[in-house]
Amino acid sequence: MVNYFAFPGLRKPKPLTVTQIISETCKLNKVKITDVKSGIVRRNMVDVRRILFNVLSEYENITHKKIGLMFNKDRSHVCHELRRHRELLKYDKNYADTYNETLGKIGKKII
C-alpha cells in the first residue's frame, strides 16, 4: 500500500460520482445515456439499465426510490429489475459476461 503522505505529489484517486458511473457504464456498453434513461426496451438498453440499477444500489447504497427517479421509473420497477438481475447472472452467460466486464472496468474506480 502506498503512503500518500510520504509522497506529497502523489494523490489518491477519487472514487467516481454517480454521474460518472452512469456515463462510464454507457460508454463501455456503447449506448447513449439518453437512451438508457428513456423508455427504450431493446435488450442491450435494458441490460445496461439493470447493471446500473445493481451498481448504484449495491455499491453506492442509493435507495430504490432515488434510482427510480434518476431513470424515470418507479421503485417497484427497480426492485423487479434487481430481482431479474440476480436471475440472469445465474442463467444467462452473455448477461453475466457483460456485467462482469463492466464491473471489472468501473469497479476499481468506484471504491
Side-chain angles (χ1 to χ4, degrees):
M1 180 146 215
V2 177
N3 184 346
Y4 294 99
F5 296 108
F7 303 101
L10 194 60
R11 297 214 166 138
K12 189 174 183 178
K14 293 181 182 177
L16 294 177
T17 64
V18 172
T19 307
Q20 290 171 327
I21 291 170
I22 294 170
S23 66
E24 285 288 321
T25 303
C26 290
K27 192 185 310 178
L28 286 171
N29 291 290
K30 299 177 179 86
V31 296
K32 295 179 185 174
I33 295 172
T34 54
D35 291 345
V36 171
K37 288 189 174 188
S38 71
I40 296 175
V41 290
R42 287 193 304 255
R43 175 67 193 257
N44 61 335
M45 297 296 167
V46 174
D47 284 351
V48 172
R49 205 175 295 136
R50 242 184 236 129
I51 290 169
L52 282 168
F53 287 176
N54 182 67
V55 168
L56 295 175
S57 175
E58 193 170 317
Y59 295 99
E60 294 296 314
N61 296 321
I62 298 175
T63 64
H64 297 171
K65 185 174 181 175
K66 287 183 182 176
I67 294 171
L69 289 172
M70 284 185 231
F71 291 91
N72 299 321
K73 307 289 181 193
D74 65 354
R75 182 195 62 80
S76 63
H77 181 82
V78 174
C79 291
H80 170 75
E81 291 298 342
L82 289 171
R83 197 170 29 245
R84 187 85 174 110
H85 165 79
R86 289 188 294 274
E87 292 170 5
L88 287 171
L89 279 180
K90 290 180 187 175
Y91 302 114
D92 187 346
K93 185 181 180 332
N94 291 331
Y95 179 77
D97 290 344
T98 302
Y99 174 72
N100 290 327
E101 181 181 325
T102 302
L103 196 60
K105 300 244 172 123
I106 67 163
K108 297 171 191 155
K109 299 176 184 176
I110 292 174
I111 300 170

